[in-house]
């Protein structure tokens, strides 16, 4: 079958504004969108810029807007989209070229929540242990692959450069509820700031977009509750 792939292209060094380029691509219904983009770059237009690495839904580097929704290009099959497909860069982040966005603003938010373990005791001879129940408390939020799909699907993130965004909040959840960590109060103070968790308006875009199936909105609600309980 033939598919029409429309790509929103922009080279800030050469173009005055973004434009749509259209390519007719021979595809199998079980091809992925990433396969079609590879075909375009290899056979039709080598100047197309896109980011990808593992191509198996693990690294998250090929996140983009496909038919209006944030997705990973390596996980979406052509048969589920039909013969006309639109592809755009992630929203809310500066475009470096075509489908490649500058991820530094995203990672700057991520680093603000201290996404590392902070113990208050000397290192043990072996690993720091916890029970299966303690591990289960934050199991869901360990699945984040930092693809930025959730954060760039959030209308609050689009509207202000201050909001930490869903991915940073997921990272904070993963450590705040870790029984081995001792910096929960410090993180909750960060999240209670005007740029933090209460900026969330619970529209569920992040949860619907997450390729890992993380219940992000639920995690954010648990963070809000933890902040309120910490003040009582």
């Amino acid at each position: 079958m033939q598919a029409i792939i429309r790509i929103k292209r922009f080279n800030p060094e050469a173009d005055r504004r973004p434009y749509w380029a259209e390519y007719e691509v021979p595809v199998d219904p079980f091809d992925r969108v990433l396969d079609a983009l590879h075909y375009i770059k290899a056979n039709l237009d080598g100047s197309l810029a896109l980011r990808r690495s593992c191509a198996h839904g693990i690294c998250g580097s090929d996140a983009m807007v496909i038919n209006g929704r944030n997705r990973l290009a390596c996980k979406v099959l052509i048969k589920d989209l039909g013969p006309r497909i639109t592809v755009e860069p992630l929203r809310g982040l500066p475009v470096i070229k075509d489908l490649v966005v500058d991820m530094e603003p995203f990672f700057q938010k991520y680093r603000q929540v201290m996404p590392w373990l902070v113990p208050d005791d000397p290192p043990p001879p072996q690993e720091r242990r916890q029970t299966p129940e303690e591990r289960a408390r934050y199991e869901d939020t360990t699945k984040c692959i930092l693809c930025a799909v959730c954060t760039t699907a959030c209308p609050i993130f689009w509207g202000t450069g201050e909001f930490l965004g869903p991915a940073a909040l997921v990272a904070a959840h993963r450590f705040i509820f870790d029984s081995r960590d001792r910096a929960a109060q410090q993180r909750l103070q960060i999240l209670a700031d005007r740029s933090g968790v209460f900026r969330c308006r619970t529209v569920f875009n992040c949860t619907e977009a997450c390729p890992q199936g993380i219940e992000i909105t639920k995690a954010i609600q648990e963070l809000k509750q933890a902040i309120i309980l910490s003040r009582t």
Side-chain angles (χ1 to χ4, degrees), residues 166-218:
L169 299 179
V170 164
H173 182 284
R174 180 258 174 269
F175 288 99
I176 285 172
F177 293 102
D178 188 328
S179 60
R180 303 164 298 177
D181 187 83
R182 295 294 179 269
Q185 288 303 316
Q186 189 174 347
R187 293 194 188 87
L188 290 175
Q189 289 179 7
I190 295 170
L191 301 188
D193 187 78
R194 59 178 297 172
S195 64
V197 70
F198 292 104
R199 285 261 180 170
C200 172
R201 294 295 181 267
T202 322
V203 296
F204 284 88
N205 277 15
C206 54
T207 300
E208 293 176 0
C210 179
Q212 295 295 94
I214 300 172
E215 294 185 87
I216 300 175
T217 309
K218 177 184 176 185

